[in-house]
Amino acid sequence: MQLEFWRNELLSVDYAAGKDFARGLLVKAARDIVRPSLGSNPTWPKPPLRRRARDVHAILCETGGSMVQDLEQMYPQLKSHDLAIRMGDARKLPLEDGAADAVLTSPPYLSRIDYVRATLPELLVLGWDSDMKVRQLRTSIMGGVLTARQAEVDPDTLGPKLRGVLTSIKTHESKASESYYTILAEQYFSDLSRSLAEMKRVLKPGGRGLVVVQSSFYKDVAIPLPSLVLEMLEGIGCPGKVLQEEAVSQHFGHLSPHQRKYVCHKVLQESVVLFQK
Ligand SMILES: C[S@@+](CC[C@H](N)C(=O)[O-])C[C@H]1O[C@@H](n2cnc3c(N)ncnc32)[C@H](O)[C@@H]1O
């Protein structure tokens, strides 16, 4: 019956890569499939007002097709074809020390975007499929808007520039600056410093990291995130530099009347910070 032969043939196929491809496909297609409507806050997808017919099969084929094209283009340039997706927390990466040649990341900025709400369709296909799991993620996510936990790294240890920014937030005249917003900012910078330390830990000696960050404002207080990241990197013995910088004039601050009141024509900087271990 040649069963053994067929079994070996089938088991020699790397299904893990196929599963990861399928998972990536679902994440990329999720939004086109659910077609949320966008209310006054475009970062909060809402159920569509009217159900429209959609062709899920066509969406999956089109998305999968463009992923295959990307892979075909990239494949010849890759040193290793051992591709895998692993999910984890940037503050506690599921990788051994010195395992990575490079790290590329775009962490949340201090802009109080609720990324869990903003990415609910994608999170659902990745396994956040109950209210309880979503609630837990909202309290633990980096840059989250809930203050249910304490900062784990003492922000006073993270450098004079950062201390100055935190003092400006804490002493701002507006309501809740000293309480809610200070707790959020301390939590945020503590998480960011933990994730930078993790990047250093998993990089090989000489390995490089690229961190894309954007400046923001708290009311009229400038939060120069790129230079704060450089200060933190210096603090962990991985000095970095800004590789590329771009002004961002269209951002969510313009949509909020509360934010417009403070700095009406804010131009933010998006920077690519490069560092080496
Ligand atoms: C500025 S966005 C980057 C978006 C990304 N570059 C993209 O194109 O989709 C920050 C992302 O970091 C994610 N995030 C927040 N806390 C995290 C954590 N502790 N570990 C890993 N990712 C986290 C957020 O969910 C959000 O998707």
Side-chain angles (χ1 to χ4, degrees):
M1 296 261 280
Q2 301 161 334
L3 247 191
E4 200 52 32
F5 173 80
W6 300 124
R7 195 201 321 268
N8 288 340
E9 281 293 286
L10 286 171
L11 292 182
S12 68
V13 176
D14 182 6
Y15 292 107
K19 270 195 205 148
D20 284 349
F21 183 88
R23 193 151 61 157
L25 170 59
L26 285 177
V27 169
K28 275 180 84 69
R31 203 152 285 247
D32 285 339
I33 294 173
V34 296
R35 295 234 194 102
S37 68
L38 298 176
S40 55
N41 184 342
T43 65
W44 287 13
K46 293 197 184 125
L49 299 173
R50 252 182 312 122
R51 271 246 154 270
R52 278 169 298 165
R54 76 236 140 128
D55 185 344
V56 174
H57 180 254
I59 294 171
L60 290 176
C61 286
E62 195 181 317
T63 312
S66 83
M67 286 170 69
V68 168
Q69 265 180 13
D70 288 347
L71 276 174
E72 279 173 353
Q73 209 180 0
M74 288 304 298
Y75 233 61
Q77 297 170 45
L78 296 175
K79 272 199 224 156
S80 157
H81 293 153
D82 185 10
L83 307 178
I85 298 178
R86 281 192 225 166
M87 285 200 295
D89 185 333
R91 296 157 295 190
K92 218 171 173 212
L93 293 170
L95 289 172
E96 306 273 299
D97 295 0
D101 294 300
V103 174
L104 169 63
T105 180
S106 166
Y109 319 135
L110 190 60
S111 51
R112 301 199 310 281
I113 293 176
D114 187 339
Y115 278 107
V116 176
R117 261 182 195 260
T119 54
L120 272 180
E122 289 81 6
L123 286 169
L124 193 66
V125 293
L126 288 173
W128 277 272
D129 54 2
S130 72
D131 285 345
M132 197 185 71
K133 285 187 194 169
V134 168
R135 211 173 313 122
Q136 269 172 359
L137 189 64
R138 284 187 83 216
T139 41
S140 64
I141 195 167
M142 186 175 160
V145 289
L146 304 180
T147 54
R149 63 198 167 89
Q150 283 284 313
E152 292 178 26
V153 178
D154 178 356
D156 278 350
T157 62
L158 296 177
K161 269 191 203 158
L162 177 58
R163 261 201 313 273
V165 167
L166 286 173
T167 306
S168 304
I169 295 176
K170 199 168 193 165
T171 54
H172 197 276
E173 59 186 14
S174 63
K175 197 168 161 241
S177 288
E178 201 188 345
S179 48
Y180 172 74
Y181 292 108
T182 296
I183 297 173
L184 273 196
E186 288 182 349
Q187 207 172 268
Y188 171 77
F189 286 112
S190 159
D191 288 345
L192 184 60
S193 85
R194 286 176 65 201
S195 91
L196 291 171
E198 270 297 85
M199 290 176 214
K200 179 184 178 188
R201 179 184 70 75
V202 302
L203 274 174
K204 289 180 180 154
R208 288 169 190 209
L210 279 174
V211 188
V212 180
V213 273
Q214 192 173 297
S215 60
S216 59
F217 278 85
Y218 170 66
K219 317 288 182 191
D220 49 0
V221 177
I223 316 284
L225 193 55
S227 57
L228 297 175
V229 165
L230 286 174
E231 184 178 67
M232 286 184 199
L233 285 169
E234 185 90 42
I236 57 170
C238 280
K241 62 176 182 189
V242 171
L243 198 64
Q244 198 179 312
E245 202 164 37
E246 213 168 278
V248 185
S249 47
Q250 282 305 319
H251 50 82
F252 292 121
H254 285 146
L255 300 167
S256 154
H258 305 296
Q259 289 196 46
R260 274 204 302 265
K261 185 175 114 191
Y262 282 99
V263 186
C264 49
H265 296 295
K266 293 179 207 169
V267 175
L268 308 179
Q269 288 296 328
E270 185 166 74
S271 306
V272 181
V273 173
L274 169 72
F275 71 94
Q276 190 162 21
K277 179 169 172 182

